[in-house]
Amino acid sequence: MTELRALVGDITQLATDAIVNASNESLLGGGGVDGAIHRAAGPELLAFCRTLHGCATGAAKVSPGFRLAAKHVIHTVGPVWTGGHNGEPELLASCYRRSLELAADLGLRSIAFPCISTGVYRFPADAAAIIAVRTVRQFVTTATSLREVVFCCFSEQALGYYQRELAPLGDDTRSERSE
Ligand code: AR6
C-alpha cells in the first residue's frame, strides 16, 4: 500500500527520499519553490543541473539532494497555464507520472511534491490538485517501491483542495498539517 497525504509546509525541510522541484526548461534555477530548493541544497545543485542540459515541459530529471535532508531532487517542468486548451492538464499529469516513474526506477520509498505550476505558471490550484491526486492514485495501483507520497502545500487554501480530493477513499489516505 502507498499512503497519500497532504500537509502545509516548506518542501525544503522534508526528509523524504526525494522532493520534486517545480522548475523551468533550463533547470538553472528561478524563483518560488525552485529558488527555495536551490538555496537550501547549496551551489552544488546548480552545478549539477548544468550537466542535465535542460528538461522538456512534462518531463523530469533527477539530481542528488546535496545539503537537503532529501536524498534526491526530481526536477520537473510544469506547463504555463494559457487557458487550459493547450494541453496543460495532460502536461501537468505527465509531470507527476514521470516524477513517480523516476522515483520508482530508483527504488525510492517516499516522495514529496509541491503544487506544480500553481505559482508563477498560474495553473488554477483547485484543478491542479485534482490532477495531482488522480495521477498519483493511478500510478500507485501498479506495484511500486513507493510507500508514501506527500503533497506539500504552501497554503491552507491549497491544502483544502487536496483534502477534498483525498477524503473519499477513507482509511488508506489522510491529510494533516505539519507542526
Ligand atoms: N515549499 C513548498 N511549496 C512552495 C515553496 C516551498 N518552499 N515555495 C513556493 N511554493 P512556483 P510554478 C509553492 O511559482 O508555478 C520558478 O521561477 C507556491 O506557493 O514555485 O511551477 C521556476 O524556475 C506554489 O503553490 O512554480 C519556473 O520558472 C507552488 O510552490 C516557475 O517558477 C509552485 O509555484 C515555475 O512556476
Side-chain angles (χ1 to χ4, degrees):
M1 279 298 245
T2 308
E3 181 186 45
L4 277 57
R5 63 193 182 101
L7 51 78
V8 175
D10 176 357
I11 201 166
T12 67
Q13 301 305 306
L14 299 184
T16 42
D17 290 344
I19 62 171
V20 175
N21 183 16
S23 193
N24 58 66
E25 289 192 346
S26 78
L27 296 187
L28 299 181
V33 70
D34 192 8
I37 288 172
H38 275 271
R39 276 193 301 278
E44 299 91 341
L45 180 59
L46 179 59
F48 187 93
C49 283
R50 288 191 199 286
T51 70
L52 295 176
H53 304 295
C55 181
T57 300
K61 292 190 176 180
V62 68
S63 77
F66 296 104
R67 300 178 198 178
L68 292 165
K71 294 188 210 58
H72 306 271
V73 179
I74 295 177
H75 306 264
T76 190
V77 183
V80 177
W81 179 263
T82 56
H85 299 293
N86 294 300
E88 297 97 321
E90 295 77 13
L91 287 165
L92 185 63
S94 174
C95 289
Y96 285 91
R97 212 162 30 242
R98 295 294 303 129
S99 297
L100 292 164
E101 284 167 5
L102 276 180
D105 287 349
L106 291 166
L108 305 188
R109 295 177 64 82
S110 59
I111 185 171
F113 285 96
C115 304
I116 300 165
S117 280
T118 66
V120 173
Y121 283 179
R122 301 184 312 274
F123 202 116
D126 49 353
I130 293 171
I131 291 169
V133 173
R134 291 187 184 170
T135 305
V136 171
R137 269 206 183 120
Q138 175 66 36
F139 184 86
V140 302
T141 57
T142 59
T144 171
S145 58
L146 289 164
R147 290 291 164 269
E148 181 185 40
V149 179
V150 176
F151 298 103
C152 182
C153 302
F154 212 49
S155 70
E156 294 289 336
Q157 186 180 39
L159 179 67
Y161 299 140
Y162 280 88
Q163 282 175 329
R164 202 163 59 190
E165 193 58 24
L166 286 168
L169 275 195
D171 286 344
D172 63 331
T173 63
R174 65 192 165 92
S175 304
E176 65 178 26
R177 296 191 178 115
S178 68
E179 278 97 52

